[in-house]
Amino acid sequence: MSAGAPRRRVVVLDYGSGNLRSAQRALARVGADVTVSDDLDAARDADGLVVPGVGAYAACMAGIDGLGAGPVVRARLAAGRPVLGICVGMQVLYEWGEEHGVRTAGIGALPGEVRRLAAPILPHMGWNTVRPPAGSVLFAGLPADTRFYFVHSYAAKADPDAGDTIGEHGEPFAAAVERAALAATQFHPEKSGDAGAHLLTNWLATLA
């Protein structure tokens, strides 16, 4: 962020799921004025809203529904106001998630369903490369062999026609999405070192 540029106000949504403080620290390091909050007015009014998430899809959605945050996320996106989902925070943006035979409704900002990866070893844990589309904003300036840190057993099917970034572990999956004001990563940018910091800087630059 250039000298004298305004610090973008970012809220990391606290609905009872983890990786809150690590996301806060990573965003602060790249120049955001960031707070962790369960205040829906703060979430509504921030320049950028981060939806984090670790663990089970159903548990994360129970926290989001209990807080009443789903309508705030959808309203922000409808108004063209940036939202960034991370890990399960990306997954819950889809219409549905299925774990252990239980199908749970998500926020519904993205079409499709999150399912268990068809892979011989789960979870998919560690560093892996991704294939972003030409013209990606999130991955601008990053080399093609850049690695990001993943920890997950479930993912959504990638939609190349919509410009999804593709990851692979046993099968292709959506490693990141960029749809107007919505951005999301299945990997953890806050745990991905310099590459994650670069991606978060790119996202911050999109905030009005």
Side-chain angles (χ1 to χ4, degrees):
M1 189 170 291
S2 62
R7 287 167 60 85
R8 300 306 184 195
R9 295 179 303 108
V10 175
V11 166
V12 177
L13 184 66
D14 181 3
Y15 60 89
S17 181
N19 78 309
L20 301 170
R21 299 300 171 186
S22 57
Q24 180 187 30
R25 287 192 297 269
L27 285 156
R29 278 196 299 268
V30 297
D33 177 6
V34 56
T35 57
V36 172
S37 180
D38 61 0
D39 184 324
L40 294 182
D41 288 333
R44 189 178 294 109
D45 295 339
D47 296 320
L49 176 65
V50 175
V51 181
V54 295
Y57 187 107
C60 286
M61 276 311 304
I64 288 168
D65 289 341
L67 186 60
V72 172
V73 173
R74 290 190 294 269
R76 282 189 63 94
L77 293 172
R81 307 204 66 204
V83 173
L84 173 65
I86 296 176
C87 196
V88 183
M90 169 178 169
Q91 294 178 5
V92 296
L93 293 170
Y94 285 87
E95 293 174 299
W96 300 94
E98 184 173 312
E99 291 179 345
H100 309 297
V102 177
R103 196 164 184 253
T104 303
I107 291 172
L110 291 166
E113 187 164 5
V114 172
R115 293 179 176 271
R116 187 176 175 88
L117 285 168
I121 297 174
L122 290 173
H124 173 210
M125 182 184 302
W127 298 85
N128 206 346
T129 58
V130 300
R131 300 196 303 276
S136 165
V137 172
L138 286 181
F139 295 90
L142 288 166
D145 60 352
T146 299
R147 294 179 177 272
F148 297 91
Y149 190 79
F150 290 85
V151 184
H152 66 118
S153 297
Y154 296 80
K157 183 177 179 180
D159 183 353
D161 292 336
D164 289 356
T165 292
I166 299 171
E168 192 136 356
H169 182 72
E171 63 176 322
F173 64 88
V177 296
E178 298 173 67
R179 312 274 180 91
L182 186 155
T185 64
Q186 180 58 67
F187 55 84
H188 287 274
E190 78 281 9
K191 297 179 181 178
S192 295
D194 290 344
H198 187 108
L199 183 143
L200 291 173
T201 299
N202 285 346
W203 180 69
L204 278 185
T206 70
L207 306 189

